[in-house]
Amino acid sequence: MADVVEVFRSPHVLEYPYVRSTGPIVGGYLSGLRDGKILGATGAAGRVIVPPTEYDPDTAEELSELVEVGPGGVVTTWAWVSDPREDAPLSEPFAWALVQPDGADTGILTPVAASGPDAMASGMRVTASFLPSAERQGRVQDLRCFVPEEAS
Amino acid sequence: MSAPKPVVGNRPVAICSFAQSPSLRRVDQANEVEMLMPVIAEVFAKANMTKDDMGFICSGSTDYLIGGPFSFVMALDAVGVWPPKSESHVEMDAAWALYEAWVQLQEGVIDTALVYGFGKSSLGDLSRVLAMQLDPYTMGPLWPDQVSLAALQARALLDRGLSTEQEFAEIAARSRHDALKNPNAQVRNEIPVAELLEEAYAVSPLRRHTLPPLSDAAAAVILVAGDRAYDVVDRPAWITGIDHRVETHAFGARDLAVSTSTAMAAKIAGVGNGPVDIAELHGPFAPQEVIVRQAIGLDDSVTINPSGGPLAANPMMAAGLIRMGEAASRIWDGSATRAVAHATSGPLLQQNLVCVLEGES
């Protein structure tokens, strides 16, 4: 008998095709993005958390008040993607970053569209770039990316 | 002979047997059960015990890797539990399964437990799989890959002046060198740091050598409580402290350059109560080792990851348990008297477990 082992390979897609309500806090954030606004939640000691969480990450206190932050902000850390994956939010080379919008105390995970790694730095100012209003659907992708402030 | 008094818990529990499969980029011709079977057989053989001697069985794995529900139930076939046994599972690294078993043993009803973990990263796109552990509304739909996220953490560390790219490369070179002595490791070679630093960035500021390998493997340990541990091994690796802590999944609200949860767990586990000979740390990306080491408070005298660590082999859901097994092995062979094992779970060191193991001197 030939010493050949044929390995069976087949695609397997696992899906959870359910929907759920996003509620007043997360839903409020996504509705805000649809309207071209970034909303954060006021947490313990006045700390503004964005994206808003339903509870304060430090004290577990339930949060309910949403406030508008941004659209400008500061890059707190970044990573340069020279070869974007097929599923990346931008098809050209870009930076993943945490951006702390003006008026907020935490960072949003977001792509930053910049010309290259030399155009990126922690502490640089950026501003939000939304999809055209007709294309927004109340989802996180409505906030397409941030761009360097001088380029906006 | 008597067990050292534990800092956490009342009942001394020891790691008494450990087995692992070699970490490979792709285990093609064995499914998860088949990958586990020789490991389970070996961990029992080393302890001269059988499944019938076990009071409890606990495993760590994730259905998201295999792409099917209740894969841990199938995995039980590797043990062949009939008649049925008390059994549990965590959708986490099996280091947390060990924690659950340790809690059970504290109750005093049972004296023994089998803990195992397994994962095959080769079955899919690991970055897609790991993106599904992120916030499903504000992060997941963007499909950020795990390397880019680790690069954000690395930059935070560099910006703070807490490490350098040179140190990342030194950690990788040390890990690969030490792995030459570990037949189960996957990335084992001798490459000068200067050569590593010439590599292009995978995602800046991370070069390829700072990334853990994609691994398929399984691991298992046996825990024994009280004096029965001496029936299994001459010098049991006593768990004198163990604790785990979690931080918010909203990692934009965390200081990524430090690990508050690791520091808390290390304090409660009593790491600082005595000198540490070796530490097995589960910071899968090189910069994360720096963060974990600083959080635990290990100085330069401590030998880090003599097994080669996760930069040499990183099987999902087993790499944390392997840290505990490797640390215990250093107690058994007498090369360490007090060892620390660390495991992490979730994005960017979200959740951390710290365990102190001691042998009698």
Short mmCIF file of all heavy atoms in Angstrom, two decimals, chain A residues 46-104:
data_model
loop_
_atom_site.label_atom_id
_atom_site.label_comp_id
_atom_site.label_asym_id
_atom_site.label_seq_id
_atom_site.Cartn_x
_atom_site.Cartn_y
_atom_site.Cartn_z
N GLY A 46 -16.30 62.03 37.24
CA GLY A 46 -16.37 62.87 36.05
C GLY A 46 -15.54 62.39 34.87
O GLY A 46 -15.45 63.06 33.85
N ARG A 47 -14.93 61.20 34.99
CA ARG A 47 -14.13 60.65 33.90
C ARG A 47 -15.06 60.31 32.72
O ARG A 47 -16.08 59.65 32.90
CB ARG A 47 -13.44 59.38 34.42
CG ARG A 47 -12.51 58.69 33.47
CD ARG A 47 -11.94 57.46 34.20
NE ARG A 47 -10.95 56.77 33.39
CZ ARG A 47 -10.92 55.45 33.23
NH1 ARG A 47 -11.80 54.69 33.85
NH2 ARG A 47 -10.00 54.89 32.50
N VAL A 48 -14.70 60.79 31.54
CA VAL A 48 -15.55 60.54 30.36
C VAL A 48 -14.98 59.36 29.58
O VAL A 48 -13.83 59.40 29.11
CB VAL A 48 -15.66 61.79 29.48
CG1 VAL A 48 -16.43 61.46 28.19
CG2 VAL A 48 -16.34 62.91 30.25
N ILE A 49 -15.79 58.30 29.46
CA ILE A 49 -15.35 57.04 28.85
C ILE A 49 -15.93 56.94 27.44
O ILE A 49 -17.14 57.03 27.26
CB ILE A 49 -15.82 55.84 29.71
CG1 ILE A 49 -15.21 55.94 31.10
CG2 ILE A 49 -15.47 54.52 29.06
CD1 ILE A 49 -16.10 55.41 32.18
N VAL A 50 -15.05 56.74 26.45
CA VAL A 50 -15.48 56.61 25.07
C VAL A 50 -14.66 55.53 24.39
O VAL A 50 -13.46 55.46 24.60
CB VAL A 50 -15.38 57.96 24.33
CG1 VAL A 50 -13.96 58.48 24.29
CG2 VAL A 50 -15.97 57.89 22.94
N PRO A 51 -15.31 54.61 23.64
CA PRO A 51 -16.75 54.40 23.51
C PRO A 51 -17.39 54.19 24.88
O PRO A 51 -16.75 53.61 25.77
CB PRO A 51 -16.84 53.13 22.66
CG PRO A 51 -15.52 53.01 21.97
CD PRO A 51 -14.53 53.61 22.91
N PRO A 52 -18.63 54.67 25.04
CA PRO A 52 -19.24 54.58 26.37
C PRO A 52 -19.47 53.14 26.80
O PRO A 52 -19.79 52.29 25.97
CB PRO A 52 -20.57 55.32 26.19
CG PRO A 52 -20.86 55.23 24.72
CD PRO A 52 -19.53 55.24 24.02
N THR A 53 -19.28 52.86 28.07
CA THR A 53 -19.57 51.54 28.62
C THR A 53 -20.80 51.65 29.51
O THR A 53 -21.13 52.74 30.00
CB THR A 53 -18.38 51.00 29.45
OG1 THR A 53 -17.98 52.02 30.38
CG2 THR A 53 -17.20 50.66 28.55
N GLU A 54 -21.47 50.54 29.73
CA GLU A 54 -22.70 50.55 30.52
C GLU A 54 -22.41 50.66 32.01
O GLU A 54 -23.31 50.86 32.82
CB GLU A 54 -23.53 49.29 30.22
CG GLU A 54 -24.09 49.32 28.80
CD GLU A 54 -24.71 48.00 28.36
OE1 GLU A 54 -24.44 46.97 29.01
OE2 GLU A 54 -25.46 48.01 27.37
N TYR A 55 -21.13 50.49 32.34
CA TYR A 55 -20.74 50.56 33.74
C TYR A 55 -19.34 51.17 33.79
O TYR A 55 -18.59 51.12 32.82
CB TYR A 55 -20.70 49.15 34.37
CG TYR A 55 -19.82 48.24 33.56
CD1 TYR A 55 -18.46 48.14 33.83
CD2 TYR A 55 -20.32 47.53 32.46
CE1 TYR A 55 -17.63 47.37 33.04
CE2 TYR A 55 -19.50 46.76 31.67
CZ TYR A 55 -18.16 46.68 31.97
OH TYR A 55 -17.34 45.94 31.18
N ASP A 56 -19.00 51.77 34.91
CA ASP A 56 -17.67 52.35 35.06
C ASP A 56 -16.64 51.22 35.19
O ASP A 56 -16.82 50.33 36.03
CB ASP A 56 -17.62 53.25 36.30
CG ASP A 56 -16.30 53.99 36.39
OD1 ASP A 56 -15.30 53.38 36.85
OD2 ASP A 56 -16.25 55.15 35.98
N PRO A 57 -15.59 51.23 34.37
CA PRO A 57 -14.63 50.12 34.42
C PRO A 57 -13.94 49.98 35.77
O PRO A 57 -13.51 48.88 36.13
CB PRO A 57 -13.60 50.50 33.34
CG PRO A 57 -14.29 51.47 32.45
CD PRO A 57 -15.27 52.19 33.30
N ASP A 58 -13.84 51.06 36.53
CA ASP A 58 -13.14 50.98 37.82
C ASP A 58 -14.08 50.69 38.98
O ASP A 58 -13.75 49.92 39.88
CB ASP A 58 -12.39 52.29 38.09
CG ASP A 58 -11.23 52.46 37.12
OD1 ASP A 58 -10.71 51.44 36.63
OD2 ASP A 58 -10.87 53.61 36.83
N THR A 59 -15.27 51.31 38.97
CA THR A 59 -16.14 51.21 40.15
C THR A 59 -17.36 50.32 39.91
O THR A 59 -18.10 50.03 40.85
CB THR A 59 -16.65 52.61 40.56
OG1 THR A 59 -17.49 53.10 39.49
CG2 THR A 59 -15.50 53.58 40.79
N ALA A 60 -17.61 49.92 38.65
CA ALA A 60 -18.77 49.12 38.26
C ALA A 60 -20.10 49.88 38.40
O ALA A 60 -21.17 49.32 38.23
CB ALA A 60 -18.85 47.80 39.04
N GLU A 61 -20.01 51.17 38.69
CA GLU A 61 -21.21 52.00 38.81
C GLU A 61 -21.93 52.05 37.45
O GLU A 61 -21.29 52.18 36.41
CB GLU A 61 -20.74 53.42 39.22
CG GLU A 61 -21.78 54.50 39.26
CD GLU A 61 -21.12 55.89 39.32
OE1 GLU A 61 -19.95 55.99 39.79
OE2 GLU A 61 -21.76 56.84 38.88
N GLU A 62 -23.27 51.91 37.49
CA GLU A 62 -24.04 51.96 36.24
C GLU A 62 -24.01 53.38 35.68
O GLU A 62 -24.19 54.35 36.40
CB GLU A 62 -25.48 51.52 36.52
CG GLU A 62 -26.25 51.24 35.24
CD GLU A 62 -27.63 50.66 35.51
OE1 GLU A 62 -27.78 49.99 36.56
OE2 GLU A 62 -28.53 50.88 34.69
N LEU A 63 -23.78 53.50 34.38
CA LEU A 63 -23.65 54.82 33.75
C LEU A 63 -24.85 55.09 32.85
O LEU A 63 -25.40 54.18 32.24
CB LEU A 63 -22.36 54.89 32.94
CG LEU A 63 -21.06 54.56 33.69
CD1 LEU A 63 -19.86 54.70 32.77
CD2 LEU A 63 -20.90 55.44 34.92
N SER A 64 -25.27 56.35 32.78
CA SER A 64 -26.44 56.67 31.98
C SER A 64 -26.28 57.96 31.19
O SER A 64 -26.94 58.16 30.18
CB SER A 64 -27.68 56.77 32.87
OG SER A 64 -27.48 57.75 33.86
N GLU A 65 -25.38 58.85 31.62
CA GLU A 65 -25.30 60.17 30.99
C GLU A 65 -24.31 60.16 29.83
O GLU A 65 -23.14 59.81 29.99
CB GLU A 65 -24.86 61.21 32.03
CG GLU A 65 -24.98 62.63 31.56
CD GLU A 65 -24.18 63.59 32.46
OE1 GLU A 65 -23.91 63.25 33.63
OE2 GLU A 65 -23.80 64.66 31.95
N LEU A 66 -24.78 60.51 28.64
CA LEU A 66 -23.90 60.60 27.47
C LEU A 66 -23.58 62.06 27.17
O LEU A 66 -24.46 62.92 27.24
CB LEU A 66 -24.57 59.95 26.25
CG LEU A 66 -24.80 58.43 26.32
CD1 LEU A 66 -25.50 57.94 25.05
CD2 LEU A 66 -23.48 57.70 26.51
N VAL A 67 -22.32 62.32 26.86
CA VAL A 67 -21.89 63.68 26.51
C VAL A 67 -21.12 63.62 25.20
O VAL A 67 -20.47 62.63 24.88
CB VAL A 67 -21.00 64.30 27.62
CG1 VAL A 67 -21.79 64.53 28.89
CG2 VAL A 67 -19.77 63.43 27.88
N GLU A 68 -21.19 64.72 24.44
CA GLU A 68 -20.49 64.74 23.16
C GLU A 68 -19.01 65.08 23.38
O GLU A 68 -18.68 65.94 24.20
CB GLU A 68 -21.13 65.77 22.21
CG GLU A 68 -20.54 65.66 20.81
CD GLU A 68 -21.28 66.52 19.78
OE1 GLU A 68 -22.37 67.03 20.09
OE2 GLU A 68 -20.74 66.64 18.65
N VAL A 69 -18.14 64.37 22.68
CA VAL A 69 -16.69 64.62 22.73
C VAL A 69 -16.18 64.75 21.30
O VAL A 69 -16.91 64.49 20.34
CB VAL A 69 -15.94 63.47 23.47
CG1 VAL A 69 -16.40 63.36 24.92
CG2 VAL A 69 -16.13 62.15 22.74
N GLY A 70 -14.89 65.16 21.17
CA GLY A 70 -14.31 65.31 19.82
C GLY A 70 -14.94 66.48 19.09
O GLY A 70 -15.50 67.37 19.74
N PRO A 71 -14.89 66.52 17.75
CA PRO A 71 -14.37 65.49 16.85
C PRO A 71 -12.84 65.46 16.78
O PRO A 71 -12.29 64.53 16.23
CB PRO A 71 -14.97 65.89 15.50
CG PRO A 71 -15.11 67.38 15.58
CD PRO A 71 -15.44 67.67 17.01
N GLY A 72 -12.18 66.48 17.34
CA GLY A 72 -10.71 66.47 17.38
C GLY A 72 -10.23 65.60 18.52
O GLY A 72 -10.99 65.30 19.45
N GLY A 73 -8.99 65.18 18.45
CA GLY A 73 -8.44 64.37 19.53
C GLY A 73 -6.95 64.16 19.37
O GLY A 73 -6.33 64.72 18.46
N VAL A 74 -6.41 63.34 20.27
CA VAL A 74 -4.96 63.12 20.32
C VAL A 74 -4.68 61.62 20.20
O VAL A 74 -5.37 60.81 20.83
CB VAL A 74 -4.39 63.66 21.66
CG1 VAL A 74 -2.92 63.28 21.82
CG2 VAL A 74 -4.56 65.17 21.73
N VAL A 75 -3.69 61.27 19.38
CA VAL A 75 -3.24 59.88 19.28
C VAL A 75 -2.46 59.53 20.55
O VAL A 75 -1.48 60.23 20.88
CB VAL A 75 -2.34 59.68 18.04
CG1 VAL A 75 -1.66 58.32 18.06
CG2 VAL A 75 -3.17 59.84 16.77
N THR A 76 -2.88 58.49 21.27
CA THR A 76 -2.14 58.11 22.48
C THR A 76 -1.18 56.95 22.20
O THR A 76 -0.16 56.82 22.87
CB THR A 76 -3.09 57.74 23.63
OG1 THR A 76 -3.93 56.68 23.21
CG2 THR A 76 -3.94 58.93 24.04
N THR A 77 -1.50 56.09 21.24
CA THR A 77 -0.55 55.09 20.78
C THR A 77 -0.98 54.65 19.38
O THR A 77 -2.15 54.79 19.02
CB THR A 77 -0.44 53.87 21.73
OG1 THR A 77 0.58 52.99 21.24
CG2 THR A 77 -1.73 53.11 21.83
N TRP A 78 -0.03 54.11 18.60
CA TRP A 78 -0.35 53.79 17.21
C TRP A 78 0.55 52.69 16.71
O TRP A 78 1.62 52.41 17.27
CB TRP A 78 -0.20 55.03 16.32
CG TRP A 78 1.18 55.63 16.35
CD1 TRP A 78 1.70 56.44 17.32
CD2 TRP A 78 2.24 55.42 15.40
NE1 TRP A 78 3.00 56.75 17.04
CE2 TRP A 78 3.36 56.16 15.86
CE3 TRP A 78 2.33 54.71 14.21
CZ2 TRP A 78 4.56 56.18 15.16
CZ3 TRP A 78 3.53 54.73 13.51
CH2 TRP A 78 4.64 55.48 13.99
N ALA A 79 0.11 52.03 15.63
CA ALA A 79 0.85 50.92 15.02
C ALA A 79 0.72 51.06 13.51
O ALA A 79 -0.40 51.24 13.01
CB ALA A 79 0.27 49.59 15.48
N TRP A 80 1.81 51.01 12.79
CA TRP A 80 1.74 51.25 11.35
C TRP A 80 1.57 49.94 10.60
O TRP A 80 2.37 49.01 10.73
CB TRP A 80 2.98 51.98 10.84
CG TRP A 80 2.81 52.32 9.39
CD1 TRP A 80 3.38 51.72 8.32
CD2 TRP A 80 1.94 53.33 8.85
NE1 TRP A 80 2.91 52.28 7.15
CE2 TRP A 80 2.03 53.27 7.45
CE3 TRP A 80 1.07 54.28 9.44
CZ2 TRP A 80 1.31 54.12 6.62
CZ3 TRP A 80 0.35 55.12 8.60
CH2 TRP A 80 0.49 55.04 7.21
N VAL A 81 0.52 49.87 9.80
CA VAL A 81 0.20 48.68 9.00
C VAL A 81 0.61 48.97 7.56
O VAL A 81 -0.09 49.70 6.85
CB VAL A 81 -1.32 48.37 9.08
CG1 VAL A 81 -1.64 47.13 8.25
CG2 VAL A 81 -1.75 48.18 10.51
N SER A 82 1.73 48.42 7.13
CA SER A 82 2.21 48.71 5.77
C SER A 82 1.56 47.79 4.74
O SER A 82 1.54 48.10 3.56
CB SER A 82 3.74 48.58 5.72
OG SER A 82 4.12 47.31 6.19
N ASP A 83 1.02 46.66 5.23
CA ASP A 83 0.43 45.70 4.31
C ASP A 83 -0.94 45.28 4.87
O ASP A 83 -1.06 44.27 5.55
CB ASP A 83 1.38 44.48 4.21
CG ASP A 83 0.91 43.47 3.19
OD1 ASP A 83 0.05 43.82 2.37
OD2 ASP A 83 1.40 42.32 3.23
N PRO A 84 -1.98 46.09 4.61
CA PRO A 84 -3.29 45.83 5.25
C PRO A 84 -3.86 44.47 4.88
O PRO A 84 -3.75 44.04 3.73
CB PRO A 84 -4.19 46.95 4.71
CG PRO A 84 -3.26 48.00 4.23
CD PRO A 84 -2.02 47.29 3.76
N ARG A 85 -4.45 43.82 5.86
CA ARG A 85 -5.15 42.55 5.62
C ARG A 85 -6.40 42.83 4.78
O ARG A 85 -6.88 43.96 4.72
CB ARG A 85 -5.59 41.96 6.97
CG ARG A 85 -4.47 41.41 7.82
CD ARG A 85 -4.96 41.19 9.27
NE ARG A 85 -6.15 40.38 9.32
CZ ARG A 85 -6.15 39.04 9.48
NH1 ARG A 85 -5.00 38.41 9.63
NH2 ARG A 85 -7.27 38.37 9.52
N GLU A 86 -6.93 41.76 4.21
CA GLU A 86 -8.12 41.91 3.38
C GLU A 86 -9.30 42.46 4.19
O GLU A 86 -10.14 43.18 3.67
CB GLU A 86 -8.48 40.53 2.81
CG GLU A 86 -9.20 40.58 1.49
CD GLU A 86 -9.24 39.19 0.87
OE1 GLU A 86 -8.19 38.71 0.40
OE2 GLU A 86 -10.33 38.60 0.89
N ASP A 87 -9.34 42.11 5.48
CA ASP A 87 -10.47 42.55 6.30
C ASP A 87 -10.21 43.87 7.03
O ASP A 87 -11.00 44.29 7.87
CB ASP A 87 -10.85 41.45 7.31
CG ASP A 87 -9.67 41.03 8.18
OD1 ASP A 87 -8.63 41.71 8.17
OD2 ASP A 87 -9.80 39.99 8.87
N ALA A 88 -9.10 44.53 6.71
CA ALA A 88 -8.78 45.79 7.40
C ALA A 88 -9.75 46.89 6.97
O ALA A 88 -10.28 46.86 5.86
CB ALA A 88 -7.34 46.21 7.08
N PRO A 89 -10.01 47.85 7.86
CA PRO A 89 -11.00 48.88 7.53
C PRO A 89 -10.54 49.83 6.41
O PRO A 89 -11.39 50.45 5.77
CB PRO A 89 -11.19 49.63 8.85
CG PRO A 89 -9.99 49.30 9.67
CD PRO A 89 -9.53 47.95 9.24
N LEU A 90 -9.25 49.95 6.20
CA LEU A 90 -8.75 50.78 5.10
C LEU A 90 -7.88 49.89 4.21
O LEU A 90 -7.14 49.03 4.70
CB LEU A 90 -7.93 51.97 5.62
CG LEU A 90 -8.67 52.96 6.54
CD1 LEU A 90 -7.72 54.07 7.01
CD2 LEU A 90 -9.89 53.56 5.85
N SER A 91 -7.95 50.10 2.91
CA SER A 91 -7.20 49.23 2.00
C SER A 91 -5.79 49.74 1.73
O SER A 91 -4.92 48.97 1.35
CB SER A 91 -7.97 49.06 0.69
OG SER A 91 -8.30 50.32 0.16
N GLU A 92 -5.56 51.04 1.91
CA GLU A 92 -4.21 51.59 1.78
C GLU A 92 -3.49 51.44 3.11
O GLU A 92 -4.13 51.32 4.16
CB GLU A 92 -4.29 53.08 1.41
CG GLU A 92 -4.94 53.35 0.07
CD GLU A 92 -4.12 52.80 -1.10
OE1 GLU A 92 -2.89 53.01 -1.09
OE2 GLU A 92 -4.71 52.12 -1.97
N PRO A 93 -2.13 51.45 3.11
CA PRO A 93 -1.41 51.43 4.39
C PRO A 93 -1.95 52.51 5.34
O PRO A 93 -2.26 53.62 4.90
CB PRO A 93 0.03 51.70 3.96
CG PRO A 93 0.12 51.13 2.58
CD PRO A 93 -1.22 51.40 1.95
N PHE A 94 -2.09 52.15 6.61
CA PHE A 94 -2.71 53.06 7.58
C PHE A 94 -2.16 52.75 8.96
O PHE A 94 -1.40 51.80 9.13
CB PHE A 94 -4.24 52.91 7.56
CG PHE A 94 -4.73 51.60 8.13
CD1 PHE A 94 -5.17 51.51 9.44
CD2 PHE A 94 -4.71 50.45 7.35
CE1 PHE A 94 -5.61 50.30 9.97
CE2 PHE A 94 -5.15 49.22 7.87
CZ PHE A 94 -5.60 49.15 9.18
N ALA A 95 -2.56 53.52 9.94
CA ALA A 95 -2.18 53.26 11.34
C ALA A 95 -3.42 52.84 12.11
O ALA A 95 -4.49 53.45 11.98
CB ALA A 95 -1.58 54.50 11.97
N TRP A 96 -3.29 51.76 12.90
CA TRP A 96 -4.24 51.54 13.99
C TRP A 96 -3.81 52.46 15.12
O TRP A 96 -2.60 52.65 15.35
CB TRP A 96 -4.18 50.10 14.49
CG TRP A 96 -4.92 49.11 13.65
CD1 TRP A 96 -4.38 48.12 12.88
CD2 TRP A 96 -6.33 48.98 13.53
NE1 TRP A 96 -5.38 47.39 12.28
CE2 TRP A 96 -6.59 47.89 12.67
CE3 TRP A 96 -7.43 49.68 14.07
CZ2 TRP A 96 -7.87 47.48 12.32
CZ3 TRP A 96 -8.71 49.26 13.73
CH2 TRP A 96 -8.93 48.18 12.87
N ALA A 97 -4.77 53.04 15.81
CA ALA A 97 -4.40 53.94 16.90
C ALA A 97 -5.46 53.91 17.99
O ALA A 97 -6.60 53.50 17.76
CB ALA A 97 -4.26 55.37 16.36
N LEU A 98 -5.05 54.35 19.16
CA LEU A 98 -6.01 54.75 20.18
C LEU A 98 -6.04 56.26 20.15
O LEU A 98 -4.99 56.91 20.25
CB LEU A 98 -5.60 54.24 21.57
CG LEU A 98 -5.75 52.73 21.80
CD1 LEU A 98 -5.19 52.35 23.17
CD2 LEU A 98 -7.22 52.31 21.70
N VAL A 99 -7.22 56.82 19.93
CA VAL A 99 -7.38 58.27 19.85
C VAL A 99 -8.25 58.71 21.02
O VAL A 99 -9.35 58.18 21.23
CB VAL A 99 -8.02 58.69 18.52
CG1 VAL A 99 -8.43 60.16 18.56
CG2 VAL A 99 -7.06 58.44 17.37
N GLN A 100 -7.74 59.66 21.79
CA GLN A 100 -8.49 60.22 22.91
C GLN A 100 -9.15 61.51 22.43
O GLN A 100 -8.48 62.53 22.25
CB GLN A 100 -7.54 60.49 24.09
CG GLN A 100 -8.27 60.94 25.34
CD GLN A 100 -7.33 60.98 26.53
OE1 GLN A 100 -6.52 60.09 26.73
NE2 GLN A 100 -7.43 62.05 27.32
N PRO A 101 -10.47 61.47 22.19
CA PRO A 101 -11.14 62.68 21.69
C PRO A 101 -11.10 63.80 22.74
O PRO A 101 -11.08 63.54 23.95
CB PRO A 101 -12.57 62.21 21.43
CG PRO A 101 -12.52 60.72 21.41
CD PRO A 101 -11.40 60.34 22.33
N ASP A 102 -11.12 65.03 22.27
CA ASP A 102 -11.16 66.18 23.18
C ASP A 102 -12.37 66.04 24.10
O ASP A 102 -13.49 65.77 23.63
CB ASP A 102 -11.27 67.48 22.37
CG ASP A 102 -10.05 67.71 21.48
OD1 ASP A 102 -8.97 67.15 21.80
OD2 ASP A 102 -10.17 68.41 20.46
N GLY A 103 -12.15 66.18 25.38
CA GLY A 103 -13.24 66.07 26.34
C GLY A 103 -13.40 64.66 26.89
O GLY A 103 -14.23 64.44 27.77
N ALA A 104 -12.64 63.70 26.37
CA ALA A 104 -12.73 62.32 26.86
C ALA A 104 -11.46 61.95 27.64
O ALA A 104 -10.43 62.62 27.53
CB ALA A 104 -12.92 61.36 25.70
#
